Amino acid sequence: MELQKKLSILSDSAKYDASCASGKSGDPNASGICHSWSSDGRCVSLLKILMTNICEFDCNYCINRKSSDVQRAIFTPREIAKLTSDFYKRNYIEGLFLSSGVVKNVDYTTERMIDSIEILRREFNFRGYVHLKLIPGADPFLIKKAMESADRVSVNVELPSSNSLELLAPDKSKEKIFNSMKTGRDVISEKRGTLTTTMTTQMIVGATDDSDKKIISLSENFYKRSFLKRVYYSAYIPVNEGKNLPATTSAPPLLREHRLYQTDWLLRFYGFNAEEIFKNRTTLDYSLDPKSDWALHSLGKFPLEINEAPYEDLLRVPGVGVRSALRIVKARRVGKLKKEDLKKLGVVLKRARYFLKVGGKYLGAVRFDYEPIKRSLLGVDKKRLVQPSLFEFNESFKEAITGEL
Amino acid sequence: MINYFYDGTFHGYLSTIFQIYFQKKEPTQILKERDSDGILGEYIFIETIEKEVKRVKKGIEEKLGSRSFYELKLLFLSEIKEFEMIGYRFLKVCFKNPLEKENLGNIDIKNFKIIVRRVLNERHKMLGFVRFEKVEDGFFFSQINPDFNQLPIIAEEFIERLRDEKFIIYDKKRGLSFFYENGVTFLTYASIDQEIKIDKEECAIKDLWKLFFKKIAIKERKNILLQNSKIPAKYRDNILEFKEN
């Protein structure tokens, strides 16, 4: 099969993997660069392909499932290496994201993927970024080997409960997935200092009735125990018919995915835990961002005096992001802050005003209570609830990218 | 009205700063020599003197840090009208009280920081939008047209990527070129007028990239507004997947 045809088939299939972050090879803290944006508004920074869409597994939600009647193709390791190197030199990409269906068996597939990376690194002298997808159940020795030449590896959790997995992806069991992640975690902890490889995972959102609380609690656990850099959430896109799947006419739950990402940010950057975000609910209130939602349910902690509140408390104010909180602390060293200063410091007063006071004076113009504040917040955010144009060129757009709330 | 005139270079600008502090004459305007037509008031022509340049650099770095000096360079590269006074006012505030340098509440600091941020934002975009193509004599060639003068702050970022190759980045609007070959670099004013002949294999690689780019979009998540805001029309001429052809 001609290279063009292979690329056509194998890039089409890889796009549903949302993991897109790219870093600098060897420096997991450097921020990635977007080389382009596709028509779905997503950043393009990696050559994201499947090595093959041949697959022995029959996961219900996957377009390449064994029982599916799609055209199959497979790259040779050398083709993958040359394509990556050519694109990289022309500055189309920062690196390679390589996933794959299972050809023959899991170990053979993994070895072949490792081959591609080794040709890329050794023969083409490639020093760019490599993200390798690990298939659950691969031999731990191969996982270790993969981590030696990749900057990032991931094993997709896919679904947040073993029941869902059994229902939709019986070839991938919870044990296989977790064991692969444990191997990855052990390699990272063993070689801490010399190995800079990081690990992530992905969950599909909306393919089953697993709750937001379940998803976020699982993420929280991952961050605490498995040295995961990130969890990705991918709104379910119905490509297959199936009695256990949502209808093919259903729209992907983009708003829900967006709220889950915002909640994930609260866990990672704002010091929140799942318990306090959900309390005794299982679903987020999608009409509000999760930080505003939490603040509304925790009015006892507010309003905060902007000139006295410590950094950790400032972080919890809706409309005050990580950067604004830092700027506030820096600016306070020079003098007392006034209301006019806050906007200049990047605080989103539209939301923050209901939770702050300056020099003792409350900034919100309504009665300090749940109902009036919620009404004001919703009135302000009304235009944001129309799917799918979540991203408008103003603060809400910026927040979606930076994650700041 | 006190007008300072300098030669238009970054070192000339630093010499001007030095002289303002030395002569203690508060500037009304700081202009380039070539813009001296029809200006009223006292004229002070600044000669670029390396000793003075070094002293200003040292002074800024010691009092405010090397980051602030870098930001001053970014301000210069912005080429924005009257940036010279904006830079001077920033330095004036900061030399009185170095703690003010991050205080966005102060209008002089804020004006300075806004421009710096714009230059850095464009720089970040440029690092992504630069596209190379292999030309007949083996060079990897790229043409750019940024709003601000980006070549001095982006070209070296590509050395690691193209370590084993030779490359040229050309800023057409400014007639500025950056060359790299075998560890040697130089930045020079050189217009490239002749037709660039691309390498035989290049078309095939470009087609593969355009195909990949088309295929990866998820139809159900279509968002052209977002795509347009991320890649403004002014840059699209040099980004092959967006070029009309």
Side-chain angles (χ1 to χ4, degrees):
Chain A
M1 193 189 281
E2 194 192 56
L3 188 60
Q4 274 238 3
K5 184 82 189 162
K6 289 188 190 186
L7 185 62
S8 179
I9 294 172
L10 296 171
S11 48
D12 201 22
S13 300
K15 65 195 181 198
Y16 296 105
D17 205 306
S19 176
C20 65
S22 74
K24 263 186 120 160
S25 193
D27 179 5
N29 291 315
S31 67
I33 297 204
C34 288
H35 287 273
S36 198
W37 269 267
S38 51
S39 57
D40 55 21
R42 296 191 304 159
C43 157
V44 182
S45 79
L46 300 173
L47 173 62
K48 195 181 278 192
I49 49 174
L50 294 185
M51 180 179 74
T52 180
N53 66 338
I54 296 168
C55 199
E56 291 301 313
F57 291 176
D58 203 32
C59 310
N60 294 26
Y61 47 79
C62 181
I63 196 162
N64 297 308
R65 64 188 298 194
K66 186 167 189 168
S67 54
S68 214
D69 184 26
V70 293
Q71 194 172 17
R72 312 274 175 178
I74 181 165
F75 280 122
T76 66
R78 184 161 296 275
E79 281 172 337
I80 293 174
K82 181 165 194 298
L83 203 54
T84 308
S85 176
D86 284 343
F87 282 3
Y88 179 71
K89 286 187 176 173
R90 288 158 180 74
N91 205 45
Y92 302 160
I93 55 173
E94 288 299 291
L96 172 69
F97 177 105
L98 188 63
S99 185
S100 186
V102 179
V103 52
K104 287 205 184 133
N105 60 59
V106 176
D107 285 344
Y108 172 79
T109 308
T110 309
E111 269 178 339
R112 204 185 153 100
M113 288 169 84
I114 293 173
D115 265 347
S116 317
I117 309 304
E118 296 202 323
I119 296 177
L120 181 60
R121 292 275 192 221
R122 300 207 186 130
E123 274 186 50
F124 290 88
N125 278 324
F126 180 74
R127 304 236 272 245
Y129 179 86
V130 172
H131 180 151
L132 258 188
K133 242 17 223 205
L134 297 174
I135 303 170
D139 189 303
F141 170 75
L142 290 176
I143 294 180
K144 267 194 195 142
K145 198 157 182 235
M147 290 175 83
E148 276 162 24
S149 38
D151 294 281
R152 179 165 283 187
V153 293
S154 53
V155 188
N156 282 3
V157 159
E158 303 296 16
L159 298 161
S161 69
S162 41
N163 289 342
S164 302
L165 272 175
E166 251 183 66
L167 201 58
L168 298 185
D171 297 294
K172 303 185 180 187
S173 73
K174 179 180 169 184
E175 286 69 40
K176 283 189 202 161
I177 295 172
F178 275 39
N179 284 337
S180 298
M181 288 176 94
K182 277 191 198 134
T183 305
R185 178 193 63 183
D186 293 340
V187 171
I188 291 176
S189 102
E190 201 182 282
K191 296 205 171 175
R192 190 160 258 183
T194 51
L195 191 74
T196 51
T197 311
T198 55
M199 200 163 61
T200 63
T201 191
Q202 175 172 272
M203 271 192 264
I204 302 172
V205 169
T208 58
D209 55 15
D210 293 297
S211 70
D212 295 335
K213 183 169 190 176
K214 192 158 217 168
I215 293 172
I216 295 294
S217 302
L218 189 58
S219 298
E220 184 176 47
N221 242 325
F222 280 140
Y223 291 134
K224 279 199 199 136
R225 291 168 48 206
S226 303
F227 301 93
L228 279 190
K229 196 90 202 279
R230 269 193 78 170
V231 177
Y232 287 89
Y233 308 95
S234 184
Y236 175 66
I237 313 261
V239 292
N240 291 342
E241 292 272 0
K243 62 174 165 49
N244 294 319
L245 293 170
T248 45
T249 48
S250 60
L254 297 179
L255 181 59
R256 183 181 180 198
E257 182 200 277
H258 178 51
R259 295 299 184 211
L260 283 171
Y261 270 119
Q262 290 182 314
T263 311
D264 181 286
W265 242 262
L266 291 183
L267 294 180
R268 286 189 294 134
F269 297 112
Y270 292 85
F272 281 83
N273 62 57
E275 194 53 54
E276 61 187 334
I277 292 174
F278 286 95
K279 298 206 171 75
N280 37 23
R281 305 176 296 172
T282 54
T283 307
L284 297 167
D285 180 348
Y286 301 147
S287 67
L288 288 168
D289 71 86
K291 200 188 206 192
S292 299
D293 186 28
W294 172 83
L296 271 176
H297 286 100
S298 316
L299 287 178
K301 298 199 167 36
F302 300 101
L304 286 184
E305 169 56 54
I306 195 81
N307 281 302
E308 285 164 15
Y311 176 72
E312 299 74 31
D313 290 354
L314 287 174
L315 271 188
R316 298 206 155 207
V317 177
V320 176
V322 176
R323 290 186 295 182
S324 300
L326 277 173
R327 287 192 201 122
I328 290 172
V329 168
K330 275 192 185 150
R332 282 197 309 212
R333 292 191 204 135
V334 184
K336 262 190 154 36
L337 294 175
K338 301 190 291 291
K339 179 183 176 184
E340 304 74 54
D341 298 326
L342 292 182
K343 186 151 187 225
K344 291 183 207 157
L345 296 172
V347 173
V348 182
L349 282 174
K350 268 193 320 207
R351 271 177 276 137
R353 54 194 297 214
Y354 302 106
F355 305 96
L356 292 175
K357 51 184 179 181
V358 182
K361 183 161 188 273
Y362 176 56
L363 291 184
V366 298
R367 185 167 55 89
F368 186 73
D369 206 347
Y370 181 88
E371 277 305 329
I373 297 181
K374 181 170 186 177
R375 259 201 306 269
S376 307
L377 287 173
L378 282 179
V380 147
D381 286 351
K382 230 187 215 141
K383 54 182 175 157
R384 279 218 251 160
L385 296 184
V386 180
Q387 285 198 86
S389 50
L390 292 168
F391 306 99
E392 291 162 0
F393 338 137
N394 52 23
E395 287 140 359
S396 58
F397 161 64
K398 193 177 79 166
E399 279 151 31
I401 303 304
T402 60
E404 291 177 334
L405 294 169
Chain B
M1 298 261 291
I2 300 184
N3 308 288
Y4 285 82
F5 292 95
Y6 72 107
D7 63 9
T9 65
F10 185 51
H11 284 196
Y13 179 57
L14 293 176
S15 283
T16 311
I17 303 288
F18 181 89
Q19 284 299 323
I20 292 172
Y21 276 90
F22 188 71
Q23 298 192 27
K24 296 189 175 31
K25 280 190 180 160
E26 184 69 13
T28 320
Q29 292 185 98
I30 301 174
L31 302 165
K32 301 177 190 60
E33 272 162 13
R34 57 176 185 262
D35 297 329
S36 61
D37 246 11
I39 306 291
L40 302 172
E42 186 182 338
Y43 282 29
I44 303 179
F45 285 96
I46 301 295
E47 198 189 326
T48 306
I49 298 179
E50 285 310 308
K51 256 202 182 134
E52 295 175 359
V53 170
K54 281 200 172 71
R55 276 183 68 178
V56 171
K57 178 168 192 260
K58 189 161 180 244
I60 295 175
E61 285 181 337
E62 278 176 0
K63 201 143 193 201
L64 306 176
S66 50
R67 174 80 195 177
S68 293
F69 184 75
Y70 177 65
E71 289 181 349
L72 193 66
K73 182 174 164 197
L74 294 175
L75 179 80
F76 177 81
L77 292 173
S78 77
E79 303 178 338
I80 275 185
K81 195 159 186 242
E82 293 173 16
F83 77 82
E84 293 94 344
M85 282 305 288
I86 292 176
Y88 168 66
R89 287 192 202 108
F90 168 77
L91 290 174
K92 194 173 171 200
V93 170
C94 291
F95 273 114
K96 264 213 184 90
N97 178 9
L99 281 179
E100 291 272 7
K101 74 175 195 242
E102 302 292 342
N103 179 16
L104 295 175
N106 180 310
I107 187 81
D108 291 329
I109 307 294
K110 181 142 208 200
N111 286 339
F112 176 81
K113 290 284 186 179
I114 284 176
I115 299 177
V116 167
R117 180 109 306 269
R118 286 177 64 193
V119 174
L120 285 176
N121 284 345
E122 187 182 55
R123 174 179 184 269
H124 188 79
K125 286 200 179 77
M126 278 292 128
L127 289 176
F129 292 162
V130 163
R131 295 273 187 274
F132 288 96
E133 55 186 0
K134 201 162 184 193
V135 297
E136 263 185 354
D137 51 3
F139 271 92
F140 277 83
F141 177 80
S142 171
Q143 183 170 294
I144 58 173
N145 71 328
D147 287 344
F148 309 123
N149 190 356
Q150 297 287 347
L151 258 191
I153 48 174
I154 60 168
E156 289 181 344
E157 298 295 317
F158 295 101
I159 292 177
E160 176 60 24
R161 182 182 296 254
L162 291 165
R163 208 175 353 133
D164 304 323
E165 310 283 350
K166 41 192 185 178
F167 71 90
I168 297 172
I169 308 178
Y170 178 50
D171 181 337
K172 188 164 185 172
K173 195 161 66 177
R174 297 174 175 82
L176 203 55
S177 303
F178 177 88
F179 290 82
Y180 169 85
E181 184 172 1
N182 274 330
V184 179
T185 70
F186 50 102
L187 187 59
T188 178
Y189 282 99
S191 280
I192 297 179
D193 291 321
Q194 71 268 49
E195 187 71 34
I196 311 279
K197 292 216 184 83
I198 60 174
D199 178 270
K200 295 186 261 93
E201 205 201 359
E202 199 60 23
C203 277
I205 296 178
K206 283 187 178 173
D207 284 343
L208 285 170
W209 171 248
K210 284 195 264 193
L211 174 66
F212 172 75
F213 180 74
K214 206 175 70 162
K215 283 285 166 182
I216 53 174
I218 297 181
K219 293 190 291 328
E220 293 87 350
R221 297 186 69 134
K222 190 161 183 175
N223 196 336
I224 299 291
L225 267 183
L226 181 58
Q227 187 189 39
N228 285 345
S229 80
K230 286 302 212 175
I231 312 191
K234 62 187 169 187
Y235 300 126
R236 292 189 177 205
D237 243 355
N238 291 317
I239 302 176
L240 82 120
E241 63 266 23
F242 288 101
K243 259 206 316 226
E244 303 301 318
N245 98 316

